[in-house]
């Protein structure tokens, strides 16, 4: 299948627009709104019978802050300076960080929250200060990442930045996308569902100037005079691509996305000369909480040794387990704190005992290993200390109430939820870049078709993907408008 068609091979266009947005999910809807706000003629193409994409499936946590705080943070008396927000993001992604992108996000995230509220997304001025992945309390602000965990809390002031639509629980994505899709329709974009983008059209100058679309089993060719945005999500549903880029996870991961997450946007961008980066990076969700009390447990590997502070966010734990021998890890816990994890109800208890030695033997761990780990942990925890991994004193307690259990969190058994973080290299304003850092003329990307703010699972926090997709979708829309001479 050819993903690039020379303009000369296209007899005629069946339509012509200022801009074409490919994919009607979070990034696409936001791009379309900015393009319409600038007065451009916009076509939105969506593969399925309705828009929404993975954004609609999401809880729609959005990781936002900076500029002194979003209006929601500030109304709750929570200050969030841009410097603090930026330092946190730089610490999250280290060498993977795109500094210019982070800077643009930090500067604009609080304003983005106002824009979302202005579109009609409802938020409540209330904080959930507990430990959960998605709070079901109806509150609109919570901690969603590693803010309160070592090493982050040691150098950056912890601030809650997970913004959730009011009372939505896991259904926040429906709330967001229903609002955004209605606004796009009201704004007068031409929205065509059941239209799958199959190829890009390139003119003699090398500019991407149109798309090939399949609808009703027929191919059409449509012109974009000012720009095309690839906003077609990630590639977790594409078995070939995931086998190429995340083979270590492919055999057992639970694919977290919508059926359209086939990497079409990335493949089209690469065919046009774009560079796909960080394709091996993924979110691996090992939700060892809620209930929060499970944070008192400790994780050990096949050597019976701890390897992480257990108060981290679930994707940091997933990334750490992926690095252990055979991706094996178990939670050791006592009867006082034992519970079934809400999101992994079927975790297997592989050993129990009235003593740590019994558990160790039943699990087949190296003799003395678990006993040593637990004895040292308990001794330190009794003094409110964790010299090895600095778990917060809030979650330190000696595990001394038998019976004890070892619960299996090995990735092959757990089958954690995964989605991809790699995508097209772009400027913060969406222009797709080649391997040499040159702009592919006429072509933009946003959302998980691009490599965004979140670039590793170890640094990920709930809310970083939808915030990134919607924020940078808007920037790409504005950039096309600017290139077309519109404000
Ligand atoms: C259950 C679940 C919960 C999640 N919760 C959160 C959360 O709370 N916070 C967070 O930050 N992240 C969350 N995520 C991740 C997040 O939802 C996604 O990474 C993000 O929404 C992607 O946005 P997008 O705009 O790039 O893609 P999408 O919203 O998936 O939009 C892409 C659109 O492009 C369409 N498309 C694909 N191929 C074509 C084609 N060839 N032609 C035309 N159209 C095409 C798709 O059908 C889709 O509608 C969650 C993911 C899942 C699955």
């Amino acid at each position: 299948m050819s993903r690039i068609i020379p303009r000369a091979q296209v007899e005629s266009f069946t339509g012509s627009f200022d801009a074409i947005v490919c994919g009607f999910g979070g990034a696409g809807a936001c791009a379309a709104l900015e393009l319409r706000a600038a007065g451009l003629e916009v076509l939105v193409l969506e593969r399925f019978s309705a828009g929404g994409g993975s954004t609609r499936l999401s809880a729609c946590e959005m990781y936002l802050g900076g500029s002194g705080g979003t209006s929601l943070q500030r109304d709750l008396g929570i200050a969030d300076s841009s410097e603090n927000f930026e330092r946190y993001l730089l610490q999250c992604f280290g060498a993977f960080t795109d500094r210019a992108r982070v800077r643009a996000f930090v500067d604009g995230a609080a304003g983005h929250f106002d824009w979302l509220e202005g579109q009609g997304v409802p938020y409540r001025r209330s904080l959930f200060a507990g430990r959960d992945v998605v709070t079901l309390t109806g509150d609109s602000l919570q901690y969603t990442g590693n803010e309160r965990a070592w090493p982050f809390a040691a150098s950056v002031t912890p601030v809650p930045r997970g913004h959730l639509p009011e009372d939505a629980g896991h259904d926040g994505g429906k709330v967001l996308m229903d609002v955004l899709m209605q606004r796009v329709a009201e704004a007068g974009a031409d929205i065509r569902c059941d239209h799958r983008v199959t190829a890009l059209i390139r003119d003699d100058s090398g500019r991407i100037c149109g798309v090939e679309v399949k609808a009703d089993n027929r191919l059409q060719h449509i012109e974009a005079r000012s720009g095309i945005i690839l906003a077609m999500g990630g590639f977790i549903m594409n078995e070939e691509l995931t086998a190429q880029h995340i083979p270590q996870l492919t055999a057992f991961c639970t694919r977290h996305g919508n059926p359209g997450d086939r990497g079409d946007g990335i493949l089209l961008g690469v065919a046009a000369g774009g560079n796909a980066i960080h394709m091996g990076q993924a979110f691996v969700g090992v939700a060892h909480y809620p209930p929060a009390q499970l944070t008192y447990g400790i994780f050990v590997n096949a050597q019976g040794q701890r390897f992480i502070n257990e108060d981290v966010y679930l994707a940091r734990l997933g990334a750490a387990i992926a690095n252990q021998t055979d991706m094996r890890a178990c939670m050791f816990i006592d009867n006082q704190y034992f519970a079934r994890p809400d999101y992994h109800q079927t975790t297997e208890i592989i050993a129990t005992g009235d003593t740590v030695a019994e558990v160790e033997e039943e699990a087949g761990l190296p003799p003395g290993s678990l006993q040593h780990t637990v004895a040292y942990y308990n001794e330190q925890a009794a003094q409110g200390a964790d010299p090895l991994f600095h778990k917060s004193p809030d979650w330190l307690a000696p595990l001394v109430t038998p019976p004890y259990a070892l619960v299996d969190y090995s990735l092959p058994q757990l089958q954690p939820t995964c989605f991809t973080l790699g995508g097209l290299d772009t400027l913060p304003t969406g222009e797709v870049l080649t391997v040499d850092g040159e702009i592919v003329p006429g072509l933009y990307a946003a959302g998980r078709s691009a490599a965004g703010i979140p670039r590793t699972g170890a640094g990920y926090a709930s809310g970083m993907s939808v915030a990134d997709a919607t924020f940078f979708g808007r920037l790409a829309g504005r950039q096309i408008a600017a290139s077309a001479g519109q404000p």
Side-chain angles (χ1 to χ4, degrees), residues 235 238-246 262-263 266-267 279:
F235 63 94
N238 185 324
E239 290 194 13
E240 278 173 29
L241 268 190
T242 51
Q244 258 177 46
H245 296 287
I246 47 169
R262 297 196 49 77
I266 298 170
L267 294 172
M279 292 290 280

Side-chain angles (χ1 to χ4, degrees), residues 22-28 45-48 50-63 134 164 177 195-198 231-234 255-265 268 419-420 446-449 460-470:
C22 307
F24 198 17
L45 296 167
E46 166 57 43
R47 174 186 177 154
F48 294 119
S54 292
T55 310
R56 194 165 196 279
L57 296 180
S58 80
C60 190
E61 278 177 326
M62 285 207 216
Y63 203 81
V134 175
L164 283 146
M177 287 312 298
H195 279 60
R196 180 176 183 189
V197 180
T198 48
M232 295 139 102
R255 293 166 192 269
H256 207 48
N258 83 91
D261 279 335
R262 297 196 49 77
D264 286 4
L268 289 170
F419 62 85
T420 58
R448 291 293 59 78
S449 295
Y460 193 88
S462 274
M464 285 186 176
S465 196
V466 175
D468 168 273
T470 54

